[in-house]
Amino acid sequence: MTPSSPVATTVLHPDRLLPADDATRAIARDLYDSVADAPIISPHGHVSPDLLREDRPFADPAELFIVHDHYVTRILRSAGVDLADLGAGGGPYDPREVWRAFASRWELFAGTASGYWLRDEFVELFGLREEPSADRADAHFDAISGQLRLAEYRPRALFERFAIDVLATTDDPLDDLSAHRELAADATLRGRVLPTFRPDAYLDPQAPSFVSRTEALAAWSGSPVADYDAYLDGLRARREYFIAHGAVSADHGVRQPFTVELEHDEAARLYRRAVSGRLSEDEAEVFAGHMLLMSAEMSVRDGLVMTVHPGVLRNHSTETFAAYGPDTGHDIPVATEYTRALRPLLQRFGTAADFHLILFTVDETVYSREIAPLAGFYPSVFIGAPWWFLDAPDAIQRFRSATTETAGFYNGSGFIDDTRAFLSIPARHDAARRSDAGFLARYVREGRLSIRQAERIALDLVDAIPRRAFKL
Amino acid sequence: MTPSSPVATTVLHPDRLLPADDATRAIARDLYDSVADAPIISPHGHVSPDLLREDRPFADPAELFIVHDHYVTRILRSAGVDLADLGAGGGPYDPREVWRAFASRWELFAGTASGYWLRDEFVELFGLREEPSADRADAHFDAISGQLRLAEYRPRALFERFAIDVLATTDDPLDDLSAHRELAADATLRGRVLPTFRPDAYLDPQAPSFVSRTEALAAWSGSPVADYDAYLDGLRARREYFIAHGAVSADHGVRQPFTVELEHDEAARLYRRAVSGRLSEDEAEVFAGHMLLMSAEMSVRDGLVMTVHPGVLRNHSTETFAAYGPDTGHDIPVATEYTRALRPLLQRFGTAADFHLILFTVDETVYSREIAPLAGFYPSVFIGAPWWFLDAPDAIQRFRSATTETAGFYNGSGFIDDTRAFLSIPARHDAARRSDAGFLARYVREGRLSIRQAERIALDLVDAIPRRAFKL
Amino acid sequence: MTPSSPVATTVLHPDRLLPADDATRAIARDLYDSVADAPIISPHGHVSPDLLREDRPFADPAELFIVHDHYVTRILRSAGVDLADLGAGGGPYDPREVWRAFASRWELFAGTASGYWLRDEFVELFGLREEPSADRADAHFDAISGQLRLAEYRPRALFERFAIDVLATTDDPLDDLSAHRELAADATLRGRVLPTFRPDAYLDPQAPSFVSRTEALAAWSGSPVADYDAYLDGLRARREYFIAHGAVSADHGVRQPFTVELEHDEAARLYRRAVSGRLSEDEAEVFAGHMLLMSAEMSVRDGLVMTVHPGVLRNHSTETFAAYGPDTGHDIPVATEYTRALRPLLQRFGTAADFHLILFTVDETVYSREIAPLAGFYPSVFIGAPWWFLDAPDAIQRFRSATTETAGFYNGSGFIDDTRAFLSIPARHDAARRSDAGFLARYVREGRLSIRQAERIALDLVDAIPRRAFKL
């Protein structure tokens, strides 16, 4: 190495993400230290249970960090890289070339949440001491590849190393949950891996697979597909099956949190037309809104926590979707309304005993205007963690600032990573703990919390709060 | 007290709410000190004039701090406490049990605006040196109860102690204002107590009592209820009555700030149908929008400052409303639009001489987008203070940041407490003064204001600015 | 001067706009110093090319700072000053009286972006050492007037002094660009002055001059006005004319970024009715949305960067517009939607090679929700700089915070001044550089960027990033 081309050294500053002001930083550091090593509770996310069941070594750095992470591929796409060259959509790719494409554009990730997590993973997990770069791409690729062959880099070893106490996956209602059964029966796995009931495609007639899914559900339950009551019973039975396999929540990724209560016969009529693919778009919206409300009724009865993740227009670029499928980086948020849309549901179940409804958003304007006021009254409503584009350090500060003064800390769900990037889980939770420590420290410094209150809240945010919200 | 159960000590940090950075904090402290003891101007709020007229001792800590404060009861409700157990809706309650329910859940209030104000009141007014807790609930209840029997804790003594210079109440247009007359005639009361004309239920056909109110107005003026011109004259006459009793403003708590100008005959036609309860929802919206515009016309003529408090969906939980009535914690904001909605009104009166229109919001997205640009042009438009869910320290910083760069400090109304919690008035104004001092200090530290400018603005914000906006 | 009336001294703090925390400020200062003297790239704005072609001395301080700057006149209007007294609408005015009206109300500008820029200009360009005030108004007026007679205060001398490397103007599509030709041919002018194609009035049937403009375009191209294909060809030809004169972008000041793709014959049919003034409002919206998409198609072919500046309701006060014309301070933002509205355009051209679409907003809620996610995927989409009411220091911090974590620094356009106030250009760019230095320094201090990364980004933000976005 010549003096004229020094390699940028990566250092993880021990005080990263903590507030700039020294006095506040000192408080934040103590708060962070008290929770830095607490076990991880991850009650919602998209890691596959097969990853842990099969426990196969990760193939290579491209597969591990890039190909399956649409946060990463979208940034490269925005700079003109072709998704095909990144292995999108399951096509063939050259891992080393993918890694080079990424490493040579590392500056694109500066300041992003993904860049932060990746650097954390490179340093903490693989001991990389240099920033990714074109010059060093091959060396880094080889170094990481070498480590991936070691036993301690296999998924289950990492699961232990990460100190994951609870990891929830996201599963199709008709999934037989055999992976979960195996994992639950395996005494060598210390943490719990729980399924989550995700019925969107069974509830929304506009989902492309609605007809085939409802047919499959009817086939499973041995009833005619057009029988609305059997359909409801089938859903209830599958929820019970999930509960029997450890599920604690049902997740709803609706377009909008629209709810409406239909008379039984009207709902049955719409359902019959839906399964034959004859609903208009407006009717489909109404039926989906009715089924969101019916899902709440099921939650009231069977106790599954209801999480709602609305407000994303999926697959914005039809051309990209056609070529590479979903989850390829062009799901784009839209404005979302909760106060009026959820009113029919909350009129019915908002004060129901033991009902938990966790509201997420990618539209941060609703934090102070709608979600915190709703959570600050209804015993059922919890404020979901900063989600998707909002799960980054600055966004977390905005989230806390917008919700805490109205609803406090105890009407929230605790941090949710919601990730399919297994290796990023510790980095994400660590970032959230640092961010929350910084927020609490500011309130202490501003005389709004005593240090004792802040210490208690910091602990509760990583333990009691998510355990209560998700009934763990 | 044993070492194993230490009591958390409550200390009000002298620099609370001031910025973390030492250099900025020092500037802020000086600015705050210069206004800390300035008299309180409270030109909009919901304290009853009977409180001061009757001057009866407060009953107990539960009645004083909890039962009537829906900011407090809603947080307890969100944690599952039954509103009936908190005395909501005028039902019977056990004060000590209410206090215990509150004190044992004090952690819910950590970080909230209510928690901040309450702690301020406990320490500043009652000398409580410990955080509320289950263990100490009875002791605190007894200590406060004892003080409430003292003469200096009666409402008028506190009114003097608080150094309230102006206190505006909110009154029904047909109120005879006898309480205000008594208070105005009482030379022993140093501050002024002013009525405010609040005509919503007389202007909006969707108000449940619209028909009975307009009938009462017609009866008062001795005209047929269906006579639109008499209705307008009746409103004008009642405004004059209020003005004669010291009122300076008329307050409009509309759902949306929608305005429209109808032809006289069309308005009369809608009115006639409204008083017989036969308007459709759409027609009612139109008529209410017309009456908001007509109210502006009345303000242009009679000089009453017009305040608009839109964007709240009242009584979100019908079940709760049915059981406990309004103001029980489930009024939830909705997105609000001003630019287009107010245009008909501003086309007519936006540049009218001496017309004052103060715009409030619970939708903070409009600060930078709509309200500051409107106030930064129209001589009539003033930016209302951070309101309701937004009157907390962080929210105040966001408010100032979002409005100042476009409209400066002199297009605002000054702080408004808008409270029915009499004892919280000094804590709220003190918090606003600290927050504003912090904001100004940051601008000084960033070289955007000279210290002389900041000193002048700090003083004006608590005196000249509200006096001008409200014509005091 | 007596001790009792000291003159407020204006000092530009060398660290103005940098973060309060000392450690962060030190980093920010170094970053700022590295770019403080970099040449100015101004790829979008409203300075007239005649200013530089004619190079006449500025008339007086009122003409220079007040009369033509609707940011300044609107604030004075909001305090009740009559626009006629400020020379609005081209009417006669007394420069000294205009200056006095301004100087005596200097407190209105405290904390505003305009106030910040003006102070910078007064001190940096004219050496004024005192705050404007009623007392000193005449002295300041005379001092500035005296300097304006000097050669170094003429426009071209200032253009050199400001170190402007690129200055883009905004021009009517039928402008003959003779001023640009002259400036381009003038070897004594070091910087480049480029025209910008601004076709709004030719594309939107609701523009008051749509019919006369399209007639003029048809006359220029020698085709019948009702010929849709000739209309498109005419637009294409004028774009080529602009490109031949150095234009790099076409700017679209649409009401909403609504796009739709019409069949050719349907578009032709609407166009024929539009040029005879017979379109309904809804049809006009559709046609304008189609033409925005067609403009993208033209950009894909001819390479002009497409900038979109939507979301402003122009001329809110009809009375003011009638008396004084456009650009008189009452253009008011409205909520704006991009995700759905731009989808037809992005479906067609979002991934087209070398297409650049720069999205501006005056509705800051879309930064994190829509614009950053779009720019973080589509290679064509760039995040426009903080615009209009949002180009101030606090707003810039909010902008960076809301966009960076999702889209990084390299999906943006770099700072755009978008001003018609020539003298404010250096102050605005300097403020942006300071704000960005502060933002970067915070990320360094928080361990999110290395100092080397931050240094590189600071340089790129004022050079490589705008050059790439605008194809300079």
Side-chain angles (χ1 to χ4, degrees):
Chain A
M1 195 188 313
T2 69
S4 63
S5 78
V7 169
T9 305
T10 299
V11 179
L12 293 184
H13 195 289
D15 286 342
R16 60 193 183 279
L17 303 192
L18 303 186
D21 172 67
D22 279 322
T24 315
R25 181 169 282 203
I27 301 166
R29 190 184 301 126
D30 287 346
L31 292 171
Y32 167 68
D33 285 346
S34 74
V35 297
D37 298 322
I40 287 174
I41 297 174
S42 177
H44 178 75
H46 298 281
V47 170
S48 166
D50 289 330
L51 185 85
L52 294 165
R53 178 172 60 168
E54 299 171 356
D55 198 33
R56 287 191 293 212
F58 292 103
D60 58 70
E63 193 250 3
L64 185 55
F65 291 116
I66 302 165
V67 173
H68 302 299
D69 189 342
H70 58 79
Y71 280 60
V72 176
T73 54
R74 71 170 174 78
I75 292 281
L76 296 172
R77 182 73 191 105
S78 79
V81 179
D82 199 315
L83 285 178
D85 296 337
L86 300 170
Y93 62 95
D94 176 336
R96 190 174 293 271
E97 286 301 328
V98 169
W99 180 261
R100 286 174 180 161
F102 161 75
S104 63
R105 291 175 181 84
W106 178 237
E107 76 277 7
L108 301 175
F109 294 87
T112 66
S114 288
Y116 178 86
W117 300 322
L118 286 170
R119 177 191 275 142
D120 191 316
E121 297 165 53
F122 294 155
V123 178
E124 291 280 309
L125 299 178
F126 296 94
L128 226 63
R129 313 299 294 171
E130 300 162 353
E131 299 279 343
S133 67
D135 284 354
R136 304 287 292 155
D138 283 358
H140 296 162
F141 184 88
D142 293 334
I144 296 173
S145 297
Q147 294 179 80
L148 289 181
R149 286 181 221 114
L150 304 176
E152 63 252 46
Y153 284 89
R154 283 166 65 176
R156 293 179 69 144
L158 291 172
F159 185 82
E160 298 294 331
R161 176 172 171 183
F162 294 168
I164 297 176
D165 196 61
V166 176
L167 179 72
T169 64
T170 306
D171 307 273
D172 187 276
L174 287 178
D175 193 294
D176 68 3
L177 304 180
S178 57
H180 285 90
R181 255 198 321 274
E182 270 187 54
L183 291 169
D186 183 345
T188 68
L189 197 73
R190 269 187 300 190
R192 283 192 288 164
V193 182
L194 309 178
T196 299
F197 190 77
R198 174 78 174 242
D200 299 335
Y202 296 76
L203 307 183
D204 178 3
Q206 290 188 71
S209 60
F210 175 79
V211 172
S212 62
R213 305 270 189 167
T214 47
E215 285 171 350
L217 179 64
W220 175 80
S221 61
S223 57
V225 65
D227 182 337
Y228 171 67
D229 293 307
Y231 161 73
L232 295 181
D233 284 341
L235 289 169
R236 289 185 191 109
R238 292 308 303 172
R239 294 169 65 104
E240 290 300 338
Y241 186 87
F242 270 64
I243 292 169
H245 285 77
V248 297
S249 73
D251 183 48
H252 298 266
V254 295
R255 283 186 303 278
Q256 290 291 314
F258 168 71
T259 59
V260 62
E261 186 164 12
L262 298 177
E263 297 290 322
H264 173 276
D265 290 357
E266 171 65 2
R269 190 185 67 80
L270 286 178
Y271 174 73
R272 282 193 302 274
R273 296 186 50 219
V275 296
S276 54
R278 290 182 296 124
L279 279 195
S280 71
E281 197 171 306
D282 283 356
E283 289 171 320
E285 295 280 356
V286 166
F287 185 76
H290 169 73
M291 286 310 299
L292 194 59
L293 188 142
M294 292 303 291
S295 298
E297 184 181 64
M298 293 179 195
S299 275
V300 168
R301 291 185 187 217
D302 64 24
L304 280 182
V305 173
M306 184 175 193
T307 59
V308 181
H309 284 89
V312 182
L313 193 160
R314 307 270 172 174
N315 307 311
H316 193 267
S317 167
T318 302
E319 167 198 271
T320 306
F321 176 69
Y324 305 108
D327 297 326
T328 43
H330 46 109
D331 298 341
I332 310 290
V334 293
T336 312
E337 203 275 339
Y338 295 74
T339 303
R340 292 192 183 96
L342 285 172
R343 197 177 184 204
L345 187 159
L346 291 168
Q347 294 272 18
R348 277 290 303 278
F349 310 113
T351 59
D354 207 30
F355 175 47
H356 287 199
L357 172 65
I358 306 183
L359 300 179
F360 292 82
T361 186
V362 278
D363 174 0
E364 56 184 312
T365 69
V366 300
Y367 283 146
S368 73
R369 190 179 62 212
E370 305 179 34
I371 291 182
L374 288 168
F377 173 75
Y378 285 105
S380 58
V381 176
F382 291 76
I383 305 167
W387 176 45
W388 206 331
F389 300 99
L390 303 176
D391 60 354
D394 280 13
I396 289 176
Q397 296 303 318
R398 298 198 301 272
F399 161 77
R400 286 272 172 230
S401 179
T403 59
T404 303
E405 295 180 321
T406 288
F409 294 95
Y410 289 90
N411 281 302
S413 69
F415 181 68
I416 308 286
D417 57 70
D418 196 14
T419 190
R420 60 194 74 231
F422 179 60
L423 257 66
S424 75
I425 290 176
R428 289 172 191 249
H429 283 263
D430 181 73
R433 291 169 186 191
R434 290 172 178 275
S435 294
D436 282 344
F439 185 83
L440 290 165
R442 176 165 71 83
Y443 272 36
V444 171
R445 175 81 171 139
E446 293 176 356
R448 300 165 75 177
L449 294 176
S450 69
I451 183 67
R452 284 191 43 168
Q453 287 180 302
E455 287 166 350
R456 170 67 185 274
I457 294 164
L459 290 171
D460 287 347
L461 283 173
V462 300
D463 192 67
I465 287 172
R467 286 190 195 281
R468 174 177 165 244
F470 280 91
K471 303 183 178 175
L472 291 167
Chain B
M1 194 187 315
T2 67
S4 63
S5 78
V7 169
T9 305
T10 299
V11 179
L12 293 184
H13 195 289
D15 287 341
R16 61 193 182 278
L17 302 192
L18 302 187
D21 172 67
D22 279 323
T24 315
R25 181 169 281 201
I27 301 166
R29 190 186 300 125
D30 287 346
L31 292 171
Y32 167 68
D33 284 346
S34 74
V35 298
D37 298 322
I40 287 174
I41 297 174
S42 177
H44 178 74
H46 298 282
V47 170
S48 166
D50 288 330
L51 185 86
L52 294 165
R53 177 171 61 170
E54 299 171 358
D55 198 33
R56 287 189 293 212
F58 292 104
D60 58 70
E63 192 250 2
L64 185 55
F65 291 115
I66 302 165
V67 172
H68 302 298
D69 189 341
H70 58 79
Y71 280 60
V72 175
T73 54
R74 70 169 174 79
I75 292 282
L76 296 171
R77 181 73 191 104
S78 80
V81 179
D82 199 315
L83 285 177
D85 295 337
L86 300 170
Y93 62 94
D94 176 336
R96 189 175 293 270
E97 286 300 328
V98 169
W99 180 260
R100 286 173 179 161
F102 161 76
S104 63
R105 291 174 180 84
W106 178 237
E107 76 278 6
L108 301 176
F109 294 88
T112 67
S114 288
Y116 179 86
W117 300 321
L118 286 169
R119 176 192 275 143
D120 190 317
E121 297 165 52
F122 295 155
V123 177
E124 291 282 309
L125 299 178
F126 296 94
L128 226 63
R129 313 299 294 173
E130 301 163 353
E131 300 280 344
S133 66
D135 283 355
R136 303 288 293 157
D138 282 358
H140 296 162
F141 184 89
D142 293 335
I144 296 174
S145 298
Q147 292 179 79
L148 290 180
R149 285 179 223 113
L150 303 176
E152 63 252 45
Y153 284 88
R154 284 166 64 174
R156 294 180 67 142
L158 291 171
F159 185 81
E160 296 294 331
R161 175 172 170 184
F162 295 167
I164 296 175
D165 196 62
V166 175
L167 179 72
T169 63
T170 305
D171 308 272
D172 186 276
L174 287 177
D175 192 294
D176 69 3
L177 303 181
S178 57
H180 285 90
R181 254 199 320 278
E182 271 188 53
L183 292 169
D186 183 345
T188 69
L189 198 72
R190 271 187 298 188
R192 284 191 288 163
V193 182
L194 309 178
T196 299
F197 189 78
R198 173 80 175 242
D200 299 335
Y202 296 77
L203 307 183
D204 178 3
Q206 290 188 70
S209 60
F210 176 79
V211 171
S212 61
R213 303 271 187 166
T214 48
E215 285 172 351
L217 179 63
W220 175 80
S221 60
S223 57
V225 65
D227 182 337
Y228 171 66
D229 293 307
Y231 161 72
L232 294 181
D233 285 341
L235 289 170
R236 290 186 190 109
R238 292 307 304 170
R239 292 169 66 104
E240 290 300 336
Y241 186 87
F242 269 63
I243 292 169
H245 286 76
V248 296
S249 73
D251 182 49
H252 299 266
V254 294
R255 283 185 304 278
Q256 291 291 313
F258 167 72
T259 59
V260 62
E261 186 163 12
L262 298 177
E263 296 291 322
H264 174 275
D265 290 358
E266 172 65 2
R269 190 184 68 80
L270 286 179
Y271 174 74
R272 282 192 303 274
R273 297 186 50 218
V275 296
S276 55
R278 288 182 297 123
L279 279 196
S280 72
E281 197 172 305
D282 283 354
E283 290 171 320
E285 296 281 356
V286 167
F287 185 76
H290 170 73
M291 287 310 298
L292 194 59
L293 188 142
M294 291 302 292
S295 297
E297 183 181 65
M298 294 179 194
S299 275
V300 168
R301 293 186 184 217
D302 65 23
L304 281 182
V305 173
M306 183 174 194
T307 59
V308 181
H309 285 88
V312 182
L313 193 159
R314 307 269 172 176
N315 305 313
H316 193 267
S317 166
T318 301
E319 167 198 272
T320 307
F321 176 69
Y324 305 108
D327 298 325
T328 42
H330 46 108
D331 298 341
I332 311 289
V334 292
T336 312
E337 203 277 339
Y338 295 73
T339 302
R340 292 193 182 96
L342 285 172
R343 198 177 183 203
L345 187 158
L346 291 168
Q347 294 272 19
R348 277 288 305 276
F349 310 114
T351 59
D354 209 31
F355 175 47
H356 287 198
L357 172 65
I358 306 182
L359 300 180
F360 292 81
T361 188
V362 278
D363 174 1
E364 56 184 313
T365 70
V366 300
Y367 282 146
S368 73
R369 190 179 62 212
E370 305 180 31
I371 291 182
L374 287 167
F377 172 75
Y378 285 105
S380 58
V381 176
F382 292 76
I383 304 167
W387 176 45
W388 206 330
F389 299 99
L390 302 176
D391 61 353
D394 280 12
I396 289 175
Q397 297 302 319
R398 297 197 302 271
F399 161 76
R400 286 274 172 229
S401 179
T403 60
T404 303
E405 294 180 320
T406 289
F409 294 95
Y410 290 89
N411 280 303
S413 70
F415 181 70
I416 308 287
D417 57 71
D418 196 17
T419 191
R420 61 194 73 232
F422 179 60
L423 257 68
S424 75
I425 290 176
R428 289 172 191 250
H429 283 262
D430 181 73
R433 290 169 186 191
R434 290 173 179 275
S435 295
D436 282 344
F439 185 83
L440 290 165
R442 176 166 71 82
Y443 272 36
V444 171
R445 175 80 171 141
E446 294 175 355
R448 301 166 73 177
L449 293 176
S450 70
I451 183 66
R452 284 192 42 171
Q453 287 180 302
E455 287 166 350
R456 170 67 186 276
I457 294 165
L459 290 171
D460 287 347
L461 283 172
V462 301
D463 192 66
I465 286 172
R467 285 190 195 282
R468 173 176 167 245
F470 279 91
K471 303 183 179 177
L472 291 166
Chain C
M1 194 190 312
T2 68
S4 64
S5 79
V7 168
T9 304
T10 299
V11 179
L12 293 184
H13 195 288
D15 287 342
R16 60 194 182 279
L17 303 191
L18 303 187
D21 172 65
D22 279 322
T24 315
R25 180 168 282 202
I27 301 166
R29 191 185 300 125
D30 287 346
L31 292 171
Y32 168 67
D33 285 345
S34 73
V35 297
D37 298 323
I40 287 174
I41 297 174
S42 176
H44 179 74
H46 299 281
V47 170
S48 167
D50 289 331
L51 185 85
L52 293 166
R53 177 171 63 168
E54 299 171 358
D55 198 34
R56 286 190 294 211
F58 293 103
D60 58 71
E63 193 250 1
L64 185 56
F65 291 115
I66 302 164
V67 172
H68 302 299
D69 189 342
H70 58 80
Y71 280 60
V72 175
T73 54
R74 71 171 173 77
I75 292 281
L76 296 172
R77 181 74 191 105
S78 80
V81 179
D82 199 314
L83 285 178
D85 295 337
L86 300 171
Y93 63 93
D94 177 335
R96 190 175 293 271
E97 286 301 328
V98 170
W99 180 261
R100 286 173 180 161
F102 161 76
S104 63
R105 291 175 181 84
W106 177 238
E107 76 277 6
L108 301 175
F109 294 88
T112 67
S114 288
Y116 178 86
W117 300 322
L118 286 169
R119 177 192 275 142
D120 190 316
E121 297 165 52
F122 294 156
V123 178
E124 290 282 309
L125 298 179
F126 296 94
L128 225 64
R129 315 299 294 173
E130 300 163 353
E131 299 280 343
S133 66
D135 284 354
R136 303 287 292 157
D138 282 358
H140 295 161
F141 184 88
D142 293 334
I144 296 173
S145 298
Q147 294 179 79
L148 290 181
R149 286 181 222 113
L150 303 176
E152 64 251 44
Y153 284 88
R154 283 165 67 175
R156 293 179 67 143
L158 292 172
F159 185 81
E160 298 293 331
R161 174 172 172 183
F162 295 168
I164 296 176
D165 195 62
V166 176
L167 179 71
T169 63
T170 306
D171 308 272
D172 186 276
L174 287 178
D175 193 295
D176 67 4
L177 304 181
S178 57
H180 285 89
R181 254 198 321 275
E182 271 187 54
L183 291 170
D186 183 345
T188 68
L189 198 72
R190 271 187 298 189
R192 284 190 289 164
V193 182
L194 309 178
T196 298
F197 190 77
R198 173 78 174 242
D200 299 335
Y202 297 77
L203 307 183
D204 178 3
Q206 290 188 70
S209 61
F210 175 79
V211 171
S212 61
R213 303 270 188 167
T214 48
E215 285 172 350
L217 179 63
W220 175 80
S221 60
S223 57
V225 64
D227 183 338
Y228 172 66
D229 293 307
Y231 162 72
L232 295 181
D233 284 341
L235 289 169
R236 290 186 190 109
R238 292 309 301 171
R239 294 168 65 104
E240 291 299 337
Y241 187 87
F242 269 63
I243 292 169
H245 285 78
V248 296
S249 73
D251 183 48
H252 298 267
V254 294
R255 284 185 303 279
Q256 290 290 314
F258 168 72
T259 59
V260 63
E261 186 165 12
L262 299 177
E263 297 291 322
H264 174 275
D265 290 358
E266 171 66 3
R269 192 184 67 81
L270 286 178
Y271 174 73
R272 282 193 302 274
R273 297 185 51 216
V275 295
S276 55
R278 287 182 295 125
L279 280 194
S280 72
E281 197 171 306
D282 284 354
E283 289 171 320
E285 296 279 357
V286 167
F287 185 77
H290 170 73
M291 288 309 299
L292 194 58
L293 187 142
M294 292 303 292
S295 298
E297 183 181 66
M298 294 179 194
S299 275
V300 168
R301 293 185 185 217
D302 65 23
L304 280 182
V305 173
M306 184 175 192
T307 59
V308 181
H309 285 90
V312 182
L313 194 159
R314 307 270 171 175
N315 306 311
H316 194 267
S317 167
T318 302
E319 169 198 272
T320 306
F321 176 68
Y324 305 108
D327 298 325
T328 42
H330 47 108
D331 297 341
I332 311 289
V334 292
T336 311
E337 202 277 339
Y338 295 74
T339 302
R340 292 194 183 94
L342 285 172
R343 198 177 183 204
L345 188 158
L346 290 168
Q347 294 272 19
R348 278 289 305 276
F349 310 113
T351 59
D354 208 31
F355 175 47
H356 286 198
L357 172 65
I358 306 182
L359 300 180
F360 292 82
T361 187
V362 278
D363 174 1
E364 57 184 313
T365 69
V366 299
Y367 282 146
S368 73
R369 191 179 62 213
E370 304 180 32
I371 291 182
L374 287 168
F377 172 75
Y378 286 106
S380 58
V381 176
F382 291 76
I383 305 167
W387 175 45
W388 206 331
F389 299 100
L390 303 176
D391 61 354
D394 281 13
I396 290 176
Q397 296 302 319
R398 297 198 302 273
F399 161 76
R400 286 273 171 229
S401 179
T403 60
T404 303
E405 294 180 320
T406 289
F409 294 95
Y410 290 89
N411 280 303
S413 70
F415 181 67
I416 308 287
D417 58 69
D418 197 14
T419 189
R420 61 194 76 232
F422 179 60
L423 257 66
S424 74
I425 290 176
R428 288 173 192 248
H429 284 261
D430 181 74
R433 290 168 186 191
R434 290 172 179 276
S435 294
D436 282 344
F439 185 82
L440 289 165
R442 176 165 70 81
Y443 272 35
V444 172
R445 175 81 171 140
E446 294 176 355
R448 301 165 74 178
L449 294 176
S450 69
I451 183 66
R452 284 191 43 169
Q453 288 180 300
E455 287 166 350
R456 169 68 186 274
I457 294 166
L459 290 171
D460 287 347
L461 284 172
V462 300
D463 192 66
I465 287 172
R467 286 190 196 280
R468 172 176 167 244
F470 280 91
K471 303 184 179 176
L472 290 166

